[in-house]
Amino acid sequence: MSTTHDLVSALKRELKAARMTYADLARALGLAESSVKRMLARGDMPLSRVDAICRVLRLDFAELARRVADAQPLLSELSAEQERAVVADKKLLLVAICVLSQWTLEQITAAYRLSEAECVKHLAQLDRLGIIELRPLNRYRLKLAKTFRWRPHGPVMSYFREQVLLDYFGGGFDGPGEGVMLVHGSVSRAMAPAFLERLQRVAQDFAQQHQTDQKLAERDREGYTLVLAMRSWEFAAFTALRRP
């Protein structure tokens, strides 16, 4: 839940947008202007006073709280504790992956053997973990930034390395829109970050296209998983053959 300080900061923005002065607000509340200035300057006041100012602004308190939540910084990475909680329950991990793809509750329960009650329970868990903000009618707002990634050596990536990579790369990559490329080469150390930046742009383009195509009918979309990687690496069997 947003702090009172955040709510007061939002109220200041709403007053400015409404072109309402502190004197105007003081008259509407039946207070001295100096009291209103002091109250807003401290950034702390009873929620009953916040609610009273909302009424003056003809603003619903729930809407104010939602605007505050929307203004909170988005997460680019979870803590190790958050990731451990997600990966500890495979159904929770499944729902987490689905919300990263902006699936609705209805889409999740239609595609997987999860009851509505189970799915709601997992959405509530993701809300408590700070990954989503669960809203009425089981809708949600994702609280992760576009640059979000799982921790490179965290619990989720460890699970995928151990359990998923062989399954992923065991595919033929020969279907429509599929492909795999393995390119070896030596480039200058100065240029390597530039190639990594290009890969990051491809990932961002993919994520943006995903967002754009959510307006299409489900029958016109197909689920894809894009894996991009680049590292200074040599196959261990080859390393073993290197001369000392």
PDB file of all heavy atoms in Angstrom, residues 154-174:
ATOM      1  N   GLY A 154      20.501 -16.200  -9.997  1.00  0.00           N
ATOM      2  CA  GLY A 154      19.451 -16.345  -8.994  1.00  0.00           C
ATOM      3  C   GLY A 154      18.710 -17.666  -9.100  1.00  0.00           C
ATOM      4  O   GLY A 154      18.968 -18.490  -9.983  1.00  0.00           O
ATOM      5  N   PRO A 155      17.745 -17.873  -8.202  1.00  0.00           N
ATOM      6  CA  PRO A 155      16.999 -19.131  -8.150  1.00  0.00           C
ATOM      7  C   PRO A 155      16.258 -19.481  -9.443  1.00  0.00           C
ATOM      8  O   PRO A 155      16.223 -20.644  -9.840  1.00  0.00           O
ATOM      9  CB  PRO A 155      16.012 -18.892  -6.996  1.00  0.00           C
ATOM     10  CG  PRO A 155      16.688 -17.882  -6.127  1.00  0.00           C
ATOM     11  CD  PRO A 155      17.411 -16.987  -7.067  1.00  0.00           C
ATOM     12  N   VAL A 156      15.670 -18.492 -10.109  1.00  0.00           N
ATOM     13  CA  VAL A 156      14.887 -18.791 -11.312  1.00  0.00           C
ATOM     14  C   VAL A 156      15.801 -19.234 -12.452  1.00  0.00           C
ATOM     15  O   VAL A 156      15.545 -20.255 -13.109  1.00  0.00           O
ATOM     16  CB  VAL A 156      14.029 -17.581 -11.733  1.00  0.00           C
ATOM     17  CG1 VAL A 156      13.351 -17.850 -13.079  1.00  0.00           C
ATOM     18  CG2 VAL A 156      12.973 -17.287 -10.670  1.00  0.00           C
ATOM     19  N   MET A 157      16.890 -18.485 -12.703  1.00  0.00           N
ATOM     20  CA  MET A 157      17.793 -18.865 -13.786  1.00  0.00           C
ATOM     21  C   MET A 157      18.480 -20.195 -13.476  1.00  0.00           C
ATOM     22  O   MET A 157      18.740 -20.997 -14.392  1.00  0.00           O
ATOM     23  CB  MET A 157      18.824 -17.768 -14.034  1.00  0.00           C
ATOM     24  CG  MET A 157      18.270 -16.540 -14.747  1.00  0.00           C
ATOM     25  SD  MET A 157      17.476 -16.930 -16.328  1.00  0.00           S
ATOM     26  CE  MET A 157      18.839 -17.603 -17.259  1.00  0.00           C
ATOM     27  N   SER A 158      18.774 -20.452 -12.215  1.00  0.00           N
ATOM     28  CA  SER A 158      19.362 -21.740 -11.842  1.00  0.00           C
ATOM     29  C   SER A 158      18.397 -22.874 -12.176  1.00  0.00           C
ATOM     30  O   SER A 158      18.801 -23.917 -12.711  1.00  0.00           O
ATOM     31  CB  SER A 158      19.697 -21.763 -10.348  1.00  0.00           C
ATOM     32  OG  SER A 158      20.718 -20.838 -10.046  1.00  0.00           O
ATOM     33  N   TYR A 159      17.123 -22.651 -11.878  1.00  0.00           N
ATOM     34  CA  TYR A 159      16.107 -23.667 -12.197  1.00  0.00           C
ATOM     35  C   TYR A 159      16.031 -23.891 -13.706  1.00  0.00           C
ATOM     36  O   TYR A 159      15.994 -25.041 -14.175  1.00  0.00           O
ATOM     37  CB  TYR A 159      14.750 -23.222 -11.658  1.00  0.00           C
ATOM     38  CG  TYR A 159      13.608 -24.121 -12.093  1.00  0.00           C
ATOM     39  CD1 TYR A 159      13.365 -25.325 -11.446  1.00  0.00           C
ATOM     40  CD2 TYR A 159      12.795 -23.774 -13.170  1.00  0.00           C
ATOM     41  CE1 TYR A 159      12.332 -26.161 -11.854  1.00  0.00           C
ATOM     42  CE2 TYR A 159      11.763 -24.599 -13.587  1.00  0.00           C
ATOM     43  CZ  TYR A 159      11.536 -25.794 -12.918  1.00  0.00           C
ATOM     44  OH  TYR A 159      10.522 -26.618 -13.333  1.00  0.00           O
ATOM     45  N   PHE A 160      16.031 -22.816 -14.478  1.00  0.00           N
ATOM     46  CA  PHE A 160      15.939 -22.963 -15.931  1.00  0.00           C
ATOM     47  C   PHE A 160      17.186 -23.632 -16.510  1.00  0.00           C
ATOM     48  O   PHE A 160      17.080 -24.438 -17.438  1.00  0.00           O
ATOM     49  CB  PHE A 160      15.686 -21.604 -16.595  1.00  0.00           C
ATOM     50  CG  PHE A 160      14.238 -21.235 -16.641  1.00  0.00           C
ATOM     51  CD1 PHE A 160      13.645 -20.559 -15.586  1.00  0.00           C
ATOM     52  CD2 PHE A 160      13.437 -21.600 -17.713  1.00  0.00           C
ATOM     53  CE1 PHE A 160      12.298 -20.241 -15.603  1.00  0.00           C
ATOM     54  CE2 PHE A 160      12.092 -21.292 -17.744  1.00  0.00           C
ATOM     55  CZ  PHE A 160      11.517 -20.607 -16.689  1.00  0.00           C
ATOM     56  N   ARG A 161      18.335 -23.304 -15.972  1.00  0.00           N
ATOM     57  CA  ARG A 161      19.548 -23.962 -16.469  1.00  0.00           C
ATOM     58  C   ARG A 161      19.507 -25.457 -16.187  1.00  0.00           C
ATOM     59  O   ARG A 161      19.912 -26.274 -17.025  1.00  0.00           O
ATOM     60  CB  ARG A 161      20.792 -23.326 -15.827  1.00  0.00           C
ATOM     61  CG  ARG A 161      21.285 -22.063 -16.526  1.00  0.00           C
ATOM     62  CD  ARG A 161      22.653 -21.650 -16.030  1.00  0.00           C
ATOM     63  NE  ARG A 161      22.597 -21.165 -14.665  1.00  0.00           N
ATOM     64  CZ  ARG A 161      22.416 -19.880 -14.336  1.00  0.00           C
ATOM     65  NH1 ARG A 161      22.268 -18.976 -15.280  1.00  0.00           N
ATOM     66  NH2 ARG A 161      22.394 -19.499 -13.080  1.00  0.00           N
ATOM     67  N   GLU A 162      19.013 -25.828 -15.014  1.00  0.00           N
ATOM     68  CA  GLU A 162      19.008 -27.234 -14.621  1.00  0.00           C
ATOM     69  C   GLU A 162      17.874 -28.028 -15.266  1.00  0.00           C
ATOM     70  O   GLU A 162      18.027 -29.204 -15.577  1.00  0.00           O
ATOM     71  CB  GLU A 162      18.899 -27.335 -13.095  1.00  0.00           C
ATOM     72  CG  GLU A 162      20.114 -26.788 -12.351  1.00  0.00           C
ATOM     73  CD  GLU A 162      19.851 -26.610 -10.868  1.00  0.00           C
ATOM     74  OE1 GLU A 162      18.766 -27.049 -10.402  1.00  0.00           O
ATOM     75  OE2 GLU A 162      20.716 -26.038 -10.179  1.00  0.00           O
ATOM     76  N   GLN A 163      16.715 -27.388 -15.440  1.00  0.00           N
ATOM     77  CA  GLN A 163      15.522 -28.130 -15.828  1.00  0.00           C
ATOM     78  C   GLN A 163      14.998 -27.832 -17.234  1.00  0.00           C
ATOM     79  O   GLN A 163      14.276 -28.650 -17.805  1.00  0.00           O
ATOM     80  CB  GLN A 163      14.387 -27.823 -14.814  1.00  0.00           C
ATOM     81  CG  GLN A 163      14.741 -28.063 -13.366  1.00  0.00           C
ATOM     82  CD  GLN A 163      14.919 -29.525 -13.033  1.00  0.00           C
ATOM     83  OE1 GLN A 163      14.337 -30.382 -13.697  1.00  0.00           O
ATOM     84  NE2 GLN A 163      15.721 -29.828 -12.030  1.00  0.00           N
ATOM     85  N   VAL A 164      15.326 -26.671 -17.768  1.00  0.00           N
ATOM     86  CA  VAL A 164      14.618 -26.206 -18.968  1.00  0.00           C
ATOM     87  C   VAL A 164      15.487 -26.137 -20.216  1.00  0.00           C
ATOM     88  O   VAL A 164      15.006 -26.402 -21.326  1.00  0.00           O
ATOM     89  CB  VAL A 164      13.964 -24.831 -18.700  1.00  0.00           C
ATOM     90  CG1 VAL A 164      13.242 -24.311 -19.933  1.00  0.00           C
ATOM     91  CG2 VAL A 164      13.005 -24.919 -17.510  1.00  0.00           C
ATOM     92  N   LEU A 165      16.764 -25.786 -20.078  1.00  0.00           N
ATOM     93  CA  LEU A 165      17.579 -25.519 -21.262  1.00  0.00           C
ATOM     94  C   LEU A 165      17.660 -26.709 -22.216  1.00  0.00           C
ATOM     95  O   LEU A 165      17.544 -26.546 -23.435  1.00  0.00           O
ATOM     96  CB  LEU A 165      18.991 -25.079 -20.855  1.00  0.00           C
ATOM     97  CG  LEU A 165      19.144 -23.613 -20.421  1.00  0.00           C
ATOM     98  CD1 LEU A 165      20.609 -23.289 -20.184  1.00  0.00           C
ATOM     99  CD2 LEU A 165      18.554 -22.658 -21.446  1.00  0.00           C
ATOM    100  N   LEU A 166      17.870 -27.899 -21.680  1.00  0.00           N
ATOM    101  CA  LEU A 166      17.959 -29.065 -22.557  1.00  0.00           C
ATOM    102  C   LEU A 166      16.641 -29.295 -23.292  1.00  0.00           C
ATOM    103  O   LEU A 166      16.627 -29.659 -24.477  1.00  0.00           O
ATOM    104  CB  LEU A 166      18.340 -30.311 -21.748  1.00  0.00           C
ATOM    105  CG  LEU A 166      19.797 -30.387 -21.291  1.00  0.00           C
ATOM    106  CD1 LEU A 166      20.021 -31.654 -20.467  1.00  0.00           C
ATOM    107  CD2 LEU A 166      20.753 -30.354 -22.477  1.00  0.00           C
ATOM    108  N   ASP A 167      15.528 -29.054 -22.600  1.00  0.00           N
ATOM    109  CA  ASP A 167      14.215 -29.201 -23.228  1.00  0.00           C
ATOM    110  C   ASP A 167      14.042 -28.167 -24.345  1.00  0.00           C
ATOM    111  O   ASP A 167      13.564 -28.485 -25.444  1.00  0.00           O
ATOM    112  CB  ASP A 167      13.118 -29.030 -22.169  1.00  0.00           C
ATOM    113  CG  ASP A 167      11.728 -29.249 -22.727  1.00  0.00           C
ATOM    114  OD1 ASP A 167      11.480 -30.322 -23.292  1.00  0.00           O
ATOM    115  OD2 ASP A 167      10.882 -28.335 -22.599  1.00  0.00           O
ATOM    116  N   TYR A 168      14.477 -26.939 -24.075  1.00  0.00           N
ATOM    117  CA  TYR A 168      14.351 -25.864 -25.063  1.00  0.00           C
ATOM    118  C   TYR A 168      15.210 -26.148 -26.290  1.00  0.00           C
ATOM    119  O   TYR A 168      14.738 -26.124 -27.431  1.00  0.00           O
ATOM    120  CB  TYR A 168      14.748 -24.533 -24.431  1.00  0.00           C
ATOM    121  CG  TYR A 168      14.673 -23.350 -25.381  1.00  0.00           C
ATOM    122  CD1 TYR A 168      13.469 -22.698 -25.623  1.00  0.00           C
ATOM    123  CD2 TYR A 168      15.812 -22.899 -26.048  1.00  0.00           C
ATOM    124  CE1 TYR A 168      13.397 -21.616 -26.499  1.00  0.00           C
ATOM    125  CE2 TYR A 168      15.750 -21.828 -26.921  1.00  0.00           C
ATOM    126  CZ  TYR A 168      14.538 -21.187 -27.143  1.00  0.00           C
ATOM    127  OH  TYR A 168      14.486 -20.138 -28.008  1.00  0.00           O
ATOM    128  N   PHE A 169      16.478 -26.443 -26.080  1.00  0.00           N
ATOM    129  CA  PHE A 169      17.388 -26.639 -27.208  1.00  0.00           C
ATOM    130  C   PHE A 169      17.257 -28.020 -27.837  1.00  0.00           C
ATOM    131  O   PHE A 169      17.872 -28.294 -28.868  1.00  0.00           O
ATOM    132  CB  PHE A 169      18.833 -26.381 -26.778  1.00  0.00           C
ATOM    133  CG  PHE A 169      19.145 -24.919 -26.629  1.00  0.00           C
ATOM    134  CD1 PHE A 169      19.310 -24.357 -25.379  1.00  0.00           C
ATOM    135  CD2 PHE A 169      19.239 -24.097 -27.741  1.00  0.00           C
ATOM    136  CE1 PHE A 169      19.580 -23.007 -25.232  1.00  0.00           C
ATOM    137  CE2 PHE A 169      19.505 -22.755 -27.615  1.00  0.00           C
ATOM    138  CZ  PHE A 169      19.677 -22.198 -26.355  1.00  0.00           C
ATOM    139  N   GLY A 170      16.428 -28.876 -27.254  1.00  0.00           N
ATOM    140  CA  GLY A 170      16.165 -30.167 -27.864  1.00  0.00           C
ATOM    141  C   GLY A 170      15.224 -30.073 -29.045  1.00  0.00           C
ATOM    142  O   GLY A 170      15.057 -31.042 -29.799  1.00  0.00           O
ATOM    143  N   GLY A 171      14.617 -28.925 -29.265  1.00  0.00           N
ATOM    144  CA  GLY A 171      13.705 -28.733 -30.394  1.00  0.00           C
ATOM    145  C   GLY A 171      14.446 -28.609 -31.711  1.00  0.00           C
ATOM    146  O   GLY A 171      15.656 -28.360 -31.747  1.00  0.00           O
ATOM    147  N   GLY A 172      13.709 -28.783 -32.799  1.00  0.00           N
ATOM    148  CA  GLY A 172      14.337 -28.719 -34.122  1.00  0.00           C
ATOM    149  C   GLY A 172      14.529 -27.318 -34.647  1.00  0.00           C
ATOM    150  O   GLY A 172      15.316 -27.091 -35.566  1.00  0.00           O
ATOM    151  N   PHE A 173      13.818 -26.331 -34.084  1.00  0.00           N
ATOM    152  CA  PHE A 173      13.898 -24.945 -34.544  1.00  0.00           C
ATOM    153  C   PHE A 173      13.631 -24.841 -36.045  1.00  0.00           C
ATOM    154  O   PHE A 173      14.255 -24.050 -36.760  1.00  0.00           O
ATOM    155  CB  PHE A 173      15.263 -24.320 -34.209  1.00  0.00           C
ATOM    156  CG  PHE A 173      15.503 -24.161 -32.736  1.00  0.00           C
ATOM    157  CD1 PHE A 173      16.089 -25.179 -32.004  1.00  0.00           C
ATOM    158  CD2 PHE A 173      15.124 -23.007 -32.079  1.00  0.00           C
ATOM    159  CE1 PHE A 173      16.304 -25.052 -30.639  1.00  0.00           C
ATOM    160  CE2 PHE A 173      15.327 -22.856 -30.708  1.00  0.00           C
ATOM    161  CZ  PHE A 173      15.924 -23.890 -29.988  1.00  0.00           C
ATOM    162  N   ASP A 174      12.719 -25.687 -36.531  1.00  0.00           N
ATOM    163  CA  ASP A 174      12.444 -25.713 -37.960  1.00  0.00           C
ATOM    164  C   ASP A 174      10.994 -25.367 -38.290  1.00  0.00           C
ATOM    165  O   ASP A 174      10.538 -25.554 -39.415  1.00  0.00           O
ATOM    166  CB  ASP A 174      12.778 -27.100 -38.539  1.00  0.00           C
ATOM    167  CG  ASP A 174      12.136 -28.236 -37.734  1.00  0.00           C
ATOM    168  OD1 ASP A 174      11.396 -27.932 -36.768  1.00  0.00           O
ATOM    169  OD2 ASP A 174      12.386 -29.403 -38.059  1.00  0.00           O
TER     170      ASP A 174
END
